[in-house]
Amino acid sequence: MKIEQIKNNAFSMPITTPSAPLIDYKFKDREYLIISYETDIELLKEVVPEPLKVISNVVHFEFMKMPDSAGFGSFKESGQVIEVEYNGRKGLYSHLMFVDDVASIVAGREVWGFPKKYGFPSLDVDVDTLTGRLKYNQTEVAIGTMGYKYYEGDIAATKSALETTPNYILKVIPSVTGKGTDVCQLIEYYMADVNVKGVWTGPAALQLFEHALAPVAQLPIKKVIGGKHQIVDFTLSYGNVLFDYLK
């Protein structure tokens, strides 16, 4: 393989059969259960990287089911998102993510820098209850429940928020020397081509359990604010580097 070929074709590993194809990542019928809760704002400040600023004590715990994802197939995901601000713009910072699809983990980390680890999320309707679960290996670390389709939400407002809210990630790629990192960047991305198919709210509850390697409970629940259930089509846009910690 010639040097020029490597330059032209290097996008994801392994180079001869990339785990992440260079495509538009389109998601159809992506289903979310989002349970918002209050936690200790000082703990949030400890995990949110500067120059992002924590603007509230609210954490959003997400359980997601993605049955039709270009390049990835069908998989599930769960994690925590924190409300932040960057240069006066309010957005969301991805803190922890757990996914049951290797291709999604690889692409998410290599391309955008999503903080993904392998886990076993689920999202199902249990009679009259929408139920999200997250296991790390065989151990349950989170359970979220919400009354199924109690109240219809505002589709237009949800679409606007998804399209206009910046999302932030801390992308880290370690150095092969074992000393420091080769890449350490603050990334921004947006959702595009958003089509909201349904939004609902209802009574919600959330439990987080202590785990050494899946520390979702390190942002403990003080008060559950509420739940939101939504089904959305969208394109995951490529991102921008906002801040390079190595320069």
Side-chain angles (χ1 to χ4, degrees):
M1 187 181 299
K2 304 295 185 183
I3 291 176
E4 198 61 31
Q5 289 177 289
I6 297 171
K7 288 181 178 179
N8 291 336
N9 297 323
F11 176 72
S12 178
M13 295 175 60
I15 190 170
T16 53
T17 174
S19 298
L22 185 56
I23 61 172
D24 290 332
Y25 287 93
K26 296 181 180 295
F27 296 81
K28 293 183 179 180
D29 297 321
R30 181 168 179 167
E31 187 172 8
Y32 303 71
L33 168 59
I34 305 169
I35 300 179
S36 303
Y37 71 93
E38 295 180 357
T39 191
D40 186 331
I41 195 167
E42 296 304 320
L43 293 176
L44 293 178
K45 291 177 181 178
E46 291 178 9
V47 299
V48 171
E50 293 182 337
L52 297 178
K53 295 181 180 179
V54 176
I55 58 173
S56 80
N57 67 339
V58 175
V59 178
H60 306 286
F61 203 104
E62 301 180 335
F63 302 91
M64 290 171 279
K65 182 163 58 177
M66 287 156 277
D68 187 350
S69 307
F72 303 138
S74 177
F75 68 101
K76 294 171 287 295
E77 187 171 291
S78 184
Q80 289 165 309
V81 178
I82 300 169
E83 297 182 356
V84 296
E85 183 179 87
Y86 178 78
N87 284 349
R89 282 189 61 96
K90 293 181 180 179
L92 298 170
Y93 171 69
S94 295
H95 172 51
L96 289 174
M97 303 175 76
F98 299 89
V99 189
D100 65 357
D101 181 311
V102 172
S104 175
I105 294 173
V106 171
R109 289 169 63 147
E110 289 183 357
V111 181
W112 292 272
F114 284 112
K116 295 188 175 187
K117 298 181 74 171
Y118 200 83
F120 297 92
S122 65
L123 181 59
D124 300 288
V125 179
D126 182 9
V127 189
D128 60 353
T129 308
L130 185 62
T131 302
R133 295 179 181 271
L134 172 61
K135 286 186 176 181
Y136 189 81
N137 300 324
Q138 298 301 311
T139 304
E140 204 131 44
V141 295
I143 302 174
T145 57
M146 176 179 147
Y148 186 67
K149 293 187 177 180
Y150 268 46
Y151 313 110
E152 290 197 7
D154 190 328
I155 287 179
T158 300
K159 173 179 169 65
S160 177
L162 289 172
E163 289 178 330
T164 61
T165 300
N167 298 274
Y168 302 112
I169 314 164
L170 180 60
K171 180 176 182 178
V172 177
I173 296 179
S175 172
V176 72
T177 65
K179 299 177 181 178
T181 60
D182 284 341
V183 174
C184 191
Q185 301 168 333
L186 182 64
I187 304 298
E188 177 189 58
Y189 77 94
Y190 290 83
M191 292 182 180
D193 308 320
V194 175
N195 175 30
V196 180
K197 294 182 172 180
V199 183
W200 302 270
T201 62
L206 179 66
Q207 296 171 277
L208 305 179
F209 307 101
E210 298 284 353
H211 193 290
L213 302 182
V216 294
Q218 287 186 356
L219 299 177
I221 301 167
K222 286 188 172 183
K223 177 184 177 182
V224 171
I225 299 170
K228 188 174 185 180
H229 175 206
Q230 57 194 39
I231 300 174
V232 182
D233 298 339
F234 70 94
T235 300
L236 177 59
S237 299
Y238 290 100
N240 304 303
V241 178
L242 293 182
F243 189 84
D244 193 328
Y245 294 87
L246 303 182
K247 291 184 179 179

